[in-house]
Amino acid sequence: MITKGQQVIRDWYQEKNWEQFAFQREMESAYLDGFSGLLNAPTGSGKTFALFLPFLADFINKHPDSYTSQTNNGLLMLWITPLRALTNDIKKAMQEVCDELELPWRIMTRTGDTSAADKASLKRKLPEVLLTTPESLHLMLAQKEYPKLFSSLQVVVIDEWHELLGTKRGVQVELGLSKLKVLGDEKISNLTSQISNLKIWGISATIGNLEQAAEVLLGNDFPPDKVKMVRANLNKKLLIKSIIPDNIENYSWAGHIGLKLLPQVMEIVARSKTTLIFTNTRSQSEIWYHAILDNYPEYAGIMAMHHGSLDNELRNWVEQALHAEALKVVVCTSSLDLGVDFRPVDTVVQVGSPKGVARFMQRAGRSGHAPGEVSRAYFVPTHSLELLEGAALKQGIKAGIFESRDPMLLTMDVLIQYMVTLAVSDGFRADELFKEVKSTYAFADLTRNEFNELLDFITSGGKTLAQYDEFLKVEVENGLFKVNNRRVAMRHRLSIGTITSELSIRVKWLSGGSLGTIEESFISKLKPGNTFWFAGRSLEFVRIKEMSAYVKKSNAKKGMIPSWNGGRMPLSSQLSAVFRDKLDEVAHGIEKDEEVIALKPLFDLQAQLSHLPQSHEFLIESFKSREGHHLLFYPFEGRLVHEGMASLLAYRISKIKPASFSIAMNDYGFELLTDEEIPIEQALEDASFFSIDNLLDDIQHSLNANEMARRRFRDIAHIGGLVFTGYPGQQVKNKHLQASTSLLFDVFSEYEPDNLLVRQAYNEALAFQLEEFRLRMALQRIIKQNIILKTIERPTPFAFPIMVDSLGREKLITETLEERIAKMARQYGADEVWEKSEESESRKSPKVRKLGVTRKRGF
């Protein structure tokens, strides 16, 4: 039997001439039957309406005769998103539905971008639907009498859950939900809460561990018979094509920015309605925007840029212009990865490997962002070997091989912050909070002793900091843990959140107005009069004043490009496995992919000079040059794994013969370079060379684990409230924060070596900086393979990009990188290939040649 609410929704679909998909009907039934769970749906499939409309149907069922006049309902739905940019688009869509159904509701947002007036309005009266972020949810929990805010709450929706899972922001969500779930058992100011049957739903794109994602979201105490997984299974059409250059160089650079293919990219842009050009870093987006504007000035006015460091007003303008079909092309980063509905976009161009199958699927889905539409995506390789990643991406998508997002466990810094958040508002009782926290997936294994250590830490500074009043934040009154100091409370509210990055400086015009933010480390290198490119403009640096960098317009054609930390993503384990499968096909002579056919000369040269490894083989190359003795290993496991493996194997070799090694790596392999001959044959005879036995001890000896943990501790200290980053406009300088956190790390390490935060720092260094689990799996794979040791005369096509990577890291060199690579090519007998590349350059059109020196960075 169809309920009143369901009929109203069906009539609405009919009026819009839209089809209600099977998964939307399934979602409607699950919601109305009282289930919680996870909705798995691709972007552009109507997933927002799939959850919002059943919620409306449920409200209409409860008020069948008065739903169009029912006001003062309180907060009914809390919608949490990972990006502030998502809230505006979702808010608009929801408000339109409510208006069309004559529901007298307000849909509002509460994020860091919300104006002071709107925040004041929210305090006076909450809307029926509030769109917010994990950080803003915790700010709500930090308000006095916060349970009243949620007394009418019926459902919490976590949008783009796959983006939050596996991050500390995801842990924030888990903790926030653990509190919302228990509020239904409490009496609040004589009001009985209505949320004892609180529904929790997550929305996720496809990832490899969807079932686990649902477990993490709902927690350990959620009744299994009230959980459902709803899958869209729409088989969205996706057309993927690699852009293959006319001339592929056998000796490729690694890490340049693919501008050689700009003419081909602009041909695609010209025949498309609207194109998003995705780059992997903000620096790349600045460079591509500048290159397009320089070479195709006719796009001025119909082209824009979008990345996370641009001012919010600029980003909002870009999003509105996309909706209004006023832009032909937007150069962007992951800031446009998620959920924003840009229906005019019919083409996506991905510059450089996205390093993951799921990430590429997400970005490709930005095009054809409507049910039944075709998503078109082009892959632009930034060096020749990356073309094989294009073939691997297509294979991974076809086979449905998607990355998992492993949940974070026992993040004590996030828990400390959460405990103080609750103490800032109404306070908490230890036994009750311990039970709530234990109900989360993240803290299921938390012991009472560990919890007590954290209580001791926030109340007395723990074993080490008890004599410093600054760390004594929480007081205990009759068993209630509470913050009574207003200064402590204010500073804590300003610090809520888990996003840590280098201190940013706001870039402002001398004449007024803001462009965005740049990291302090870049600005500190500038002198007055220096020019740099930012927000698509040539700027002259004038001065720094009050945490702002003041600039004026410059007419200079050249200038520095800002760089932001954290831009280099490693190859995912799933994509690296498919990449190795593709390489195995190459070694067996299978040439079914256009990318493999195009790369045939490169692979033929690799086989001629060395060897093409099959799936049961592991290739090591050895040669001698004027620089010394080179060893090159090819696990094809991603740069983070290679960083750890390179140090590990160098240490194990040094136990046979003491030596100092220089290490370079990329996503495909790594190089060990030393002055003296390396006893690699002797090392390979030892069964323990690739063994996982004593792995952690050997890692500790081979790497400066102490320094790695120290770096992780900086963020942990920030999140855990050990350091205060400053008031708005009066931030503490980055170097001072680093000094403070380093001092705390040293003090804990010496006087309290079992400190929970120090242990967490070491664990995070292993898990995230070295990907220790992947390293362990890679070694177990290699030890079963046949080792192929090849002595070569000169670098192979596999080796050359790794060696180029090492050149780029040496700082005290007067030659340009281009000059050094040309010299290296000549030195190793690759000059014929290089000269052919230069010849092909000279035949390009004048417009293309204007790109200048970057165009030498060939394929």
Side-chain angles (χ1 to χ4, degrees):
M1 177 179 166
I2 295 178
T3 65
K4 174 72 177 286
Q6 287 175 300
Q7 189 59 54
V8 169
I9 298 305
R10 278 162 174 65
D11 292 343
W12 179 82
Y13 268 109
Q14 191 170 358
E15 288 174 13
K16 304 288 284 188
N17 291 319
W18 288 354
E19 177 188 357
Q20 189 177 21
F21 293 118
F23 87 90
Q24 291 174 324
R25 289 194 295 271
E26 183 184 354
M27 182 65 242
E28 182 182 84
S29 297
Y31 188 94
L32 295 177
D33 288 342
F35 286 96
S36 293
L38 193 66
L39 169 61
N40 169 223
T43 185
S45 62
K47 53 188 172 61
T48 301
F49 286 154
L51 256 168
F52 184 61
L53 296 178
F55 159 67
L56 296 183
D58 188 48
F59 180 83
I60 293 170
N61 287 341
K62 291 173 180 175
H63 309 278
D65 300 321
S66 60
Y67 70 89
T68 57
S69 59
Q70 193 79 19
T71 57
N72 298 319
N73 300 294
L75 179 62
L76 302 176
M77 169 181 269
L78 191 64
W79 191 287
I80 299 173
T81 72
L83 285 181
R84 289 178 287 188
L86 296 178
T87 58
N88 294 328
D89 202 59
I90 298 171
K91 172 187 173 183
K92 181 181 177 183
M94 289 179 172
Q95 191 67 64
E96 284 180 359
V97 175
C98 291
D99 293 345
E100 289 169 3
L101 295 180
E102 299 181 359
L103 281 165
W105 283 12
R106 292 185 307 156
I107 315 293
M108 295 187 69
T109 63
R110 205 296 185 194
T111 71
D113 294 332
T114 303
S115 67
D118 283 346
K119 287 178 181 176
S121 173
L122 284 170
K123 282 189 175 181
R124 290 192 299 271
K125 182 182 177 184
L126 282 170
E128 283 78 5
V129 180
L130 183 65
L131 304 161
T132 190
T133 60
E135 294 77 17
S136 291
L137 169 61
H138 279 243
L139 278 168
M140 294 173 73
L141 294 174
Q143 294 182 33
K144 301 293 184 185
E145 299 184 331
Y146 68 87
K148 288 183 178 180
L149 300 176
F150 306 108
S151 61
S152 304
L153 191 63
Q154 296 176 4
V155 60
V156 183
V157 176
I158 317 300
D159 204 357
E160 308 287 358
W161 174 234
H162 59 282
E163 288 292 330
L164 293 167
L165 181 66
T167 69
K168 292 183 180 181
R169 299 181 79 208
V171 177
Q172 271 189 296
V173 171
E174 290 184 64
L175 290 170
L177 291 176
S178 73
K179 175 56 68 177
L180 295 179
K181 283 189 291 186
V182 301
L183 289 181
D185 297 330
E186 300 174 359
K187 301 278 186 177
I188 309 163
S189 302
N190 298 321
L191 292 174
T192 302
S193 172
Q194 301 173 25
I195 68 167
S196 55
N197 293 317
L198 179 70
K199 299 184 185 73
I200 298 172
W201 278 94
I203 302 175
S204 174
T206 299
I207 53 176
N209 57 333
L210 276 171
E211 285 74 17
Q212 186 184 39
E215 291 178 38
V216 177
L217 178 68
L218 298 175
N220 308 317
D221 60 342
F222 215 91
D225 60 341
K226 299 299 289 182
V227 177
K228 278 222 172 168
M229 178 81 71
V230 178
R231 300 175 191 264
N233 296 322
L234 289 179
N235 296 319
K236 186 172 176 62
K237 294 179 181 178
L238 179 61
L239 297 180
I240 305 170
K241 185 173 179 57
S242 296
I243 299 178
I244 299 175
D246 297 331
N247 298 294
I248 295 181
E249 292 175 0
N250 297 333
Y251 288 90
S252 65
W253 289 36
H256 76 96
I257 48 176
L259 284 173
K260 185 170 186 176
L261 293 173
L262 180 60
Q264 290 93 318
V265 171
M266 295 311 292
E267 287 176 10
I268 294 168
V269 170
R271 62 176 182 259
S272 301
K273 187 176 182 180
T274 304
T275 301
L276 297 183
I277 299 178
F278 276 102
T279 65
N280 289 332
T281 68
R282 287 165 280 186
S283 300
Q284 281 183 332
S285 66
E286 294 278 348
I287 293 168
W288 268 79
Y289 183 90
H290 177 31
I292 296 172
L293 199 60
D294 190 33
N295 288 274
Y296 300 86
E298 63 270 25
Y299 279 86
I302 54 173
M303 177 177 68
M305 180 166 47
H306 192 290
H307 63 68
S309 289
L310 297 180
D311 189 76
N312 186 55
E313 286 188 14
L314 288 175
R315 284 182 278 137
N316 285 341
W317 177 86
V318 173
E319 292 163 21
Q320 290 166 9
L322 272 170
H323 279 293
E325 303 184 26
L327 293 173
K328 181 74 172 173
V329 58
V330 175
V331 184
C332 57
T333 64
S334 57
S335 59
L336 286 185
D337 269 9
L338 306 181
V340 186
D341 180 8
F342 299 132
R343 302 200 176 210
V345 175
D346 57 351
T347 304
V348 160
V349 174
Q350 168 66 47
V351 176
S353 171
K355 302 301 179 185
V357 180
R359 185 180 294 113
F360 187 63
M361 274 282 289
Q362 185 78 15
R363 291 180 174 180
R366 298 292 96 217
S367 66
H369 195 277
E373 294 290 325
V374 176
S375 294
R376 290 179 173 83
Y378 292 85
F379 173 62
V380 179
T382 57
H383 59 87
S384 53
L385 270 177
E386 206 168 49
L387 262 178
L388 196 61
E389 287 190 53
L393 280 168
K394 289 196 277 190
Q395 180 63 34
I397 289 171
K398 183 179 179 181
I401 300 171
F402 299 105
E403 288 78 15
S404 297
R405 297 297 297 266
D406 296 326
M408 296 192 77
L409 306 175
L410 297 176
T411 49
M412 302 300 185
D413 53 343
V414 184
L415 181 52
I416 287 173
Q417 184 185 107
Y418 176 64
M419 293 165 78
V420 179
T421 294
L422 296 181
V424 161
S425 54
D426 294 341
F428 67 86
R429 298 192 180 277
D431 290 345
E432 294 172 1
L433 183 60
F434 179 66
K435 182 180 178 182
E436 292 171 23
V437 168
K438 285 278 287 181
S439 72
T440 67
Y441 194 98
F443 295 101
D445 294 328
L446 181 74
T447 68
R448 186 60 196 240
N449 285 340
E450 290 170 333
F451 184 73
N452 289 341
E453 281 187 51
L454 299 183
L455 290 175
D456 189 40
F457 182 77
I458 63 175
T459 55
S460 66
K463 300 175 184 176
T464 308
L465 304 176
Q467 62 269 41
Y468 301 100
D469 291 343
E470 181 181 351
F471 302 101
L472 316 183
K473 298 180 178 180
V474 180
E475 301 174 27
V476 187
E477 301 173 352
N478 299 319
L480 186 69
F481 288 74
K482 206 165 185 323
V483 169
N484 293 316
N485 186 303
R486 292 184 63 185
R487 179 172 174 270
V488 170
M490 179 179 64
R491 286 175 57 156
H492 179 76
R493 289 191 180 101
L494 289 172
S495 303
I496 286 178
T498 63
I499 300 174
T500 59
S501 60
E502 187 172 346
L503 190 62
S504 293
I505 301 290
R506 184 155 292 281
V507 180
K508 293 184 177 180
W509 294 110
L510 273 175
S511 56
S514 172
L515 288 169
T517 58
I518 294 178
E519 289 182 358
E520 180 191 37
S521 59
F522 176 80
I523 291 291
S524 65
K525 298 173 186 174
L526 299 179
K527 296 178 181 178
N530 285 164
T531 58
F532 65 99
W533 280 83
F534 177 61
R537 297 169 172 86
S538 180
L539 307 172
E540 180 183 328
F541 174 64
V542 180
R543 65 173 180 268
I544 289 183
K545 183 181 180 182
E546 296 177 350
M547 298 304 294
S548 294
Y550 287 89
V551 299
K552 61 183 180 181
K553 185 178 179 181
S554 169
N555 293 320
K557 297 297 183 183
K558 294 184 178 180
M560 291 179 281
I561 301 289
S563 60
W564 287 266
N565 288 332
R568 281 180 127 173
M569 298 173 290
L571 204 64
S572 74
S573 57
Q574 284 77 9
L575 186 55
S576 61
V578 182
F579 184 93
R580 290 194 299 273
D581 290 342
K582 285 295 170 188
L583 196 58
D584 183 60
E585 290 180 7
V586 171
H588 283 92
I590 301 172
E591 298 176 355
K592 62 183 181 181
D593 299 300
E594 59 178 347
E595 296 87 353
V596 172
I597 294 170
L599 287 171
K600 189 176 189 306
L602 183 149
F603 291 131
D604 287 346
L605 183 59
Q606 174 68 30
Q608 175 190 331
L609 297 178
S610 175
H611 183 71
L612 279 172
Q614 299 179 19
S615 59
H616 66 281
E617 296 173 329
F618 182 75
L619 176 63
I620 304 172
E621 294 175 345
S622 171
F623 75 98
K624 183 181 178 182
S625 73
R626 286 180 299 188
E627 283 77 29
H629 294 263
H630 304 254
L631 271 182
L632 292 121
F633 301 75
Y634 302 102
F636 301 102
E637 274 288 357
R639 64 172 54 247
L640 293 183
V641 173
H642 294 164
E643 180 182 2
M645 191 181 295
S647 298
L648 176 72
L649 299 186
Y651 168 71
R652 289 177 174 177
I653 290 172
S654 69
K655 290 200 292 185
I656 300 172
K657 180 182 179 181
S660 295
F661 292 93
S662 173
I663 294 173
M665 81 288 296
N666 64 10
D667 276 321
Y668 309 139
F670 58 88
E671 176 196 43
L672 301 181
L673 171 64
T674 187
D675 294 335
E676 300 181 17
E677 189 170 354
I678 303 172
I680 183 61
E681 293 89 349
Q682 185 178 347
L684 292 173
E685 290 173 0
D686 188 342
S688 66
F689 186 58
F690 289 111
S691 173
I692 62 172
D693 295 340
N694 302 313
L695 180 60
L696 291 180
D697 287 342
D698 284 355
I699 287 175
Q700 293 276 1
H701 286 99
S702 64
L703 289 161
N704 190 347
N706 187 61
E707 184 56 35
M708 292 172 63
R710 185 190 301 274
R711 289 199 295 267
R712 300 297 303 191
F713 185 78
R714 291 172 190 167
D715 289 348
I716 290 171
H718 178 185
I719 295 168
L722 283 170
V723 292
F724 180 57
T725 57
Y727 297 99
Q730 302 174 11
Q731 286 91 347
V732 179
K733 287 190 175 181
N734 201 45
K735 61 182 180 181
H736 294 156
L737 291 174
Q738 290 184 6
S740 298
T741 57
S742 291
L743 178 61
L744 286 167
F745 182 82
D746 290 337
V747 168
F748 285 141
S749 298
E750 183 173 355
Y751 298 104
E752 195 181 340
D754 59 343
N755 180 276
L756 292 175
L757 298 183
V758 170
R759 274 169 40 195
Q760 181 183 337
Y762 279 100
N763 289 337
E764 286 188 11
L766 281 174
F768 302 110
Q769 203 160 335
L770 290 177
E771 294 194 286
E772 182 257 339
F773 179 76
R774 277 186 69 183
L775 172 59
R776 187 180 294 271
M777 298 296 289
L779 290 171
Q780 289 177 315
R781 172 174 57 83
I782 292 169
I783 206 167
K784 298 174 184 176
Q785 294 177 311
N786 297 335
I787 306 299
I788 307 295
L789 176 61
K790 286 286 185 179
T791 301
I792 56 179
E793 299 297 322
R794 65 181 189 182
T796 63
F798 284 4
F800 197 77
I802 302 173
M803 299 174 69
V804 170
D805 195 281
S806 68
L807 290 183
R809 297 183 189 191
E810 297 173 23
K811 304 296 184 185
L812 302 177
I813 301 293
T814 57
E815 295 174 298
T816 66
L817 190 55
E818 292 87 351
E819 292 168 338
R820 299 187 69 204
I821 290 178
K823 183 185 291 184
M824 190 167 79
R826 291 191 293 271
Q827 174 188 341
Y828 293 124
D831 51 324
E832 290 183 11
V833 177
W834 190 263
E835 287 166 7
K836 287 178 183 176
S837 167
E838 294 289 278
E839 280 181 30
S840 67
E841 286 298 322
S842 67
R843 292 195 293 269
K844 298 292 183 183
S845 67
K847 175 175 285 193
V848 175
R849 279 206 305 274
K850 283 168 63 179
L851 289 173
V853 78
T854 54
R855 298 192 52 76
K856 283 187 181 179
R857 304 180 178 187
F859 284 77

